[in-house]
Amino acid sequence: EVLRAWTGGGIAYENNKKMGDVRRLARLKAGLEKDLKKAKLDPDDLEQAKGHPKLGKAYDNWRALQNKVDLVDHAQRRLRCEKMFQSAEGEGTYTRGEFDSATTHALAQFEKKHAIMGWGHFTRENIEALARSQEESAHRRLLRVIEERTVSAAAIVEDGSAARWKPKFRYKDRHGEEQPLRDVVRESVDAAVAALDLGTPETARRQLDKLSELGSGNFDDLLVAVKLPPRPDYYLEDMTFEVVIDRGDVWYDFPFDSTGKRLSQPRERYPHITVYTVYEGQKIPLIHWRTTIGSWRSEMYNGSEHYKYKDSDVGPRVWKEIVAAPVWIPPATTPPRELVRRKWKDGRVRTVVNNAEFGPSYTSAYGLVAAYHIKEIKNPDGTLKADFDNSIRTHGSVDYMSILRRYSHGCHRLYNMSAVRLFSFILGHRQFVREGQIKLGFSREFVHEDQTFKIALKTRGYRYKLVQPIAVDVTEGRIKGTRKTPLEGYIPKPNNTPAPADGPVEGQLTAPAESAAPAENNVLSPG
């Protein structure tokens, strides 16, 4: 009830407050009690001060902070119940009612569990999720599972994003009749949920019990047939795809002034990737998703960190291969601090190589799956002369908030689950050769804080080679600011403020990294 009643908006975590809310609340309450006593009112009944001509403002200040502390307190109860904290076996050590470091990291874990895009700040979305019962939350997770299984089994991808982008778009089916763009995913998932009677927590529990009995308790071997809505006519065994990546608003200007102050470089139009299919001469959009482009990032140059602009190549490219569980090979210019992480190991916090970021791992720089952008160099007669790989990829990423607000280091990121959907869909509707693991013998030593570390990578991932490449066009976007082309070379860092591709921008805050176990949705992926 406390969580549902909250109307105070979002609450950003602050790690530099001089006084905590709990202590400040105690002072406000003591002052209000004292004022009530002076006014010859009952100091134990603070509500008497509400609307009072002299005490009303003091009451409002106390009440607003009390509501905030109550919100945090009840959120902590939920987080403790779900064992989201990073200490005391999930139950945590924190100050009750205080939005402290332990709480923001627990909230970030809760967001990950419930598929909420966030950084551990209180938002309308996660407050609503915290207010749900455990049964309602479990049911929502079940529906997410059903959605992904349905999408995978039916080999579909249209999620309504293209229809929302182009609501008036129409194409002609095989009978010559005009058809609107559909949300095939939602139609199919709704049909599956209805057929299996999983629409409510109560019916879902009953039906899962029945299905468990049918499978003798083993869901791995249980197959259930569900009738789904007919797929659009353009679904063919071998579909033709074209991809357009609009880079949106692009700033080439250096993001700091002469004093080292971060400059504002707002964007109204964000990068998007649109995947089309070509059917009977018609270019039909299937999905239209937010993605990323490159910007300024930190790189090593002459033994120290500098800023360098990492551009996202413009022009025609092709996807020739799709790599599952891809591995990122860190270049020599990567700052050593980005190659390690602090981890609780053998009874204490240690600095270790951040192998998960190289991959294969869902937290790797290239996420769960990647398509490589290749520029084909042609001979005068049009035949292929060579392939040029500038290390630009369209790939999954665990750095979800970068896709919403920030930048990459040149690549076009997608949410991991979206990348899996898209490339599974493409492999389901295009001919390919399964080449398997790409063997790699890469090793490198580096020094960080006077300690030597070693990287050893044995594979680049699991490769699917497309029989026919998929055309990709990366548009220039809208160039903002004074400069119309990227700056070349390296620029000394004016201060320790993160570059746009290194950290949060546009007013977005992040939770602080805890040395023992950093929140994984704060990972800054190099891709």
Side-chain angles (χ1 to χ4, degrees), residues 44 97 99 103 299 416 467 481 493 500:
D44 294 329
F99 193 10
T103 303
E299 284 197 354
N416 261 331
V467 173
K493 297 182 72 169

Side-chain angles (χ1 to χ4, degrees), residues 296 308-309 483 485-491:
W296 292 92
K308 181 177 176 59
Y309 192 88
R483 290 196 61 87
T485 58
L487 278 164
E488 298 293 336
Y490 294 85
I491 297 179

Side-chain angles (χ1 to χ4, degrees), residues 221-506:
D221 297 329
L222 179 66
L223 299 178
V224 180
V226 175
K227 184 176 177 60
L228 301 180
R231 299 187 299 187
D233 288 347
Y234 52 74
Y235 268 72
L236 305 171
E237 184 175 343
D238 192 19
M239 297 172 67
T240 300
F241 297 115
E242 293 183 9
V243 179
V244 175
I245 298 177
D246 176 5
R247 300 198 309 167
D249 290 342
V250 181
W251 290 83
Y252 290 132
D253 296 342
F254 191 59
F256 299 92
D257 65 15
S258 58
T259 67
K261 181 181 178 182
R262 184 70 166 269
L263 298 173
S264 175
Q265 295 182 338
R267 292 184 291 174
E268 296 177 354
R269 195 169 88 192
Y270 284 83
H272 280 80
I273 179 172
T274 307
V275 177
Y276 297 86
T277 188
V278 180
Y279 173 71
E280 297 188 353
Q282 305 169 92
K283 193 173 176 180
I284 306 168
L286 304 178
I287 57 99
H288 181 72
W289 291 343
R290 179 77 68 83
T291 186
T292 58
I293 58 170
S295 182
W296 292 92
R297 67 159 294 183
S298 297
E299 284 197 354
M300 296 299 293
Y301 178 69
N302 285 342
S304 64
E305 288 192 28
H306 285 60
Y307 286 143
K308 181 177 176 59
Y309 192 88
K310 302 295 291 183
D311 199 18
S312 297
D313 294 347
V314 172
R317 299 291 186 272
V318 292
W319 290 343
K320 291 189 171 184
E321 57 188 46
I322 294 170
V323 179
V327 169
W328 171 65
I329 302 175
T333 54
T334 305
R337 60 178 171 80
E338 296 184 8
L339 304 178
V340 297
R341 61 171 295 186
R342 300 283 283 169
K343 181 179 180 181
W344 184 266
K345 185 178 180 181
D346 299 330
R348 67 185 181 91
V349 176
R350 299 175 184 268
T351 301
V352 298
V353 174
N354 192 7
N355 289 306
E357 191 164 9
F358 312 140
S361 162
Y362 79 97
T363 65
S364 78
Y366 291 160
L368 289 171
V369 60
Y372 291 23
H373 285 230
I374 301 298
K375 181 178 181 179
E376 294 186 319
I377 311 299
K378 299 291 183 69
N379 292 307
D381 62 359
T383 58
L384 180 65
K385 180 179 181 180
D387 285 341
F388 175 69
D389 182 358
N390 198 27
S391 298
I392 301 297
R393 317 282 187 248
T394 294
H395 63 77
S397 176
V398 76
D399 189 5
Y400 296 150
M401 296 305 287
S402 70
I403 299 165
L404 286 175
R405 298 289 184 91
R406 297 192 280 108
Y407 300 86
S408 69
H409 298 168
C411 291
H412 309 290
R413 298 176 182 170
L414 300 172
Y415 301 135
N416 261 331
M417 59 277 196
S418 299
V420 170
R421 276 193 186 187
L422 174 60
F423 294 119
S424 296
F425 173 78
I426 288 174
L427 292 175
H429 298 279
R430 284 295 284 251
Q431 294 182 4
F432 64 86
V433 176
R434 185 191 304 270
E435 295 190 348
Q437 293 291 343
I438 312 166
K439 292 184 179 180
L440 177 68
F442 174 87
S443 64
R444 179 178 134 205
E445 290 187 348
F446 65 95
V447 177
H448 174 67
E449 296 180 347
D450 299 325
Q451 187 177 352
T452 301
F453 299 89
K454 183 176 181 179
I455 302 171
L457 305 175
K458 297 181 179 180
T459 176
R460 297 197 71 160
Y462 192 98
R463 180 161 58 197
Y464 300 85
K465 195 82 170 182
L466 297 174
V467 173
Q468 292 295 327
I470 294 175
V472 179
D473 182 29
V474 183
T475 67
E476 186 177 50
R478 301 191 306 187
I479 309 302
K480 313 286 283 188
T482 304
R483 290 196 61 87
K484 301 306 176 185
T485 58
L487 278 164
E488 298 293 336
Y490 294 85
I491 297 179
K493 297 182 72 169
N495 53 36
N496 290 323
T497 303
D502 290 336
V505 294
E506 302 177 71

Side-chain angles (χ1 to χ4, degrees), residues 61-272:
N61 291 336
W62 166 79
R63 173 45 64 190
L65 189 56
Q66 182 67 62
N67 289 343
K68 178 183 176 182
V69 169
D70 287 343
L71 172 80
V72 175
D73 172 30
H74 283 262
Q76 289 169 330
R77 300 184 197 189
R78 175 66 183 266
L79 297 172
R80 185 170 184 262
C81 180
E82 291 198 33
K83 299 187 182 299
M84 294 286 98
F85 288 94
Q86 296 179 344
S87 62
E89 297 183 346
E91 296 189 359
T93 301
Y94 54 88
T95 302
R96 182 174 174 181
E98 193 72 63
F99 193 10
D100 53 18
S101 176
T103 303
T104 189
H105 281 281
L107 186 56
Q109 290 293 105
F110 178 87
E111 288 173 326
K112 288 164 60 179
K113 178 178 178 180
H114 296 275
I116 298 170
M117 303 305 170
W119 267 329
H121 307 295
F122 282 104
T123 63
R124 177 187 57 80
E125 190 174 5
N126 63 26
I127 292 172
E128 287 180 357
L130 287 162
R132 296 188 191 111
S133 69
Q134 291 280 20
E135 190 174 41
E136 291 170 331
S137 297
H139 180 244
R140 283 174 176 256
R141 291 198 297 278
L142 169 67
L143 294 182
R144 291 204 302 273
V145 171
I146 295 298
E147 178 171 332
E148 296 307 322
R149 293 303 299 267
T150 302
V151 168
S152 176
I156 55 179
V157 77
E158 300 95 319
D159 61 352
S161 57
R164 291 187 292 273
W165 175 54
K166 295 286 187 182
K168 296 181 180 180
F169 185 91
R170 297 292 184 272
Y171 71 93
K172 290 185 178 180
D173 62 17
R174 65 177 181 273
H175 303 298
E177 297 180 2
E178 289 193 344
Q179 300 291 341
L181 298 175
R182 292 165 51 189
D183 186 342
V184 181
V185 170
R186 180 48 45 204
E187 294 173 19
S188 301
V189 172
D190 287 347
V193 170
L196 296 172
D197 197 13
L198 302 175
T200 68
E202 295 75 22
T203 61
R205 185 176 293 279
R206 290 197 300 268
Q207 290 300 102
L208 288 177
D209 286 342
K210 291 181 180 178
L211 292 171
S212 179
E213 291 176 8
L214 286 172
S216 300
N218 185 358
F219 282 101
D220 291 341
D221 297 329
L222 179 66
L223 299 178
V224 180
V226 175
K227 184 176 177 60
L228 301 180
R231 299 187 299 187
D233 288 347
Y234 52 74
Y235 268 72
L236 305 171
E237 184 175 343
D238 192 19
M239 297 172 67
T240 300
F241 297 115
E242 293 183 9
V243 179
V244 175
I245 298 177
D246 176 5
R247 300 198 309 167
D249 290 342
V250 181
W251 290 83
Y252 290 132
D253 296 342
F254 191 59
F256 299 92
D257 65 15
S258 58
T259 67
K261 181 181 178 182
R262 184 70 166 269
L263 298 173
S264 175
Q265 295 182 338
R267 292 184 291 174
E268 296 177 354
R269 195 169 88 192
Y270 284 83
H272 280 80

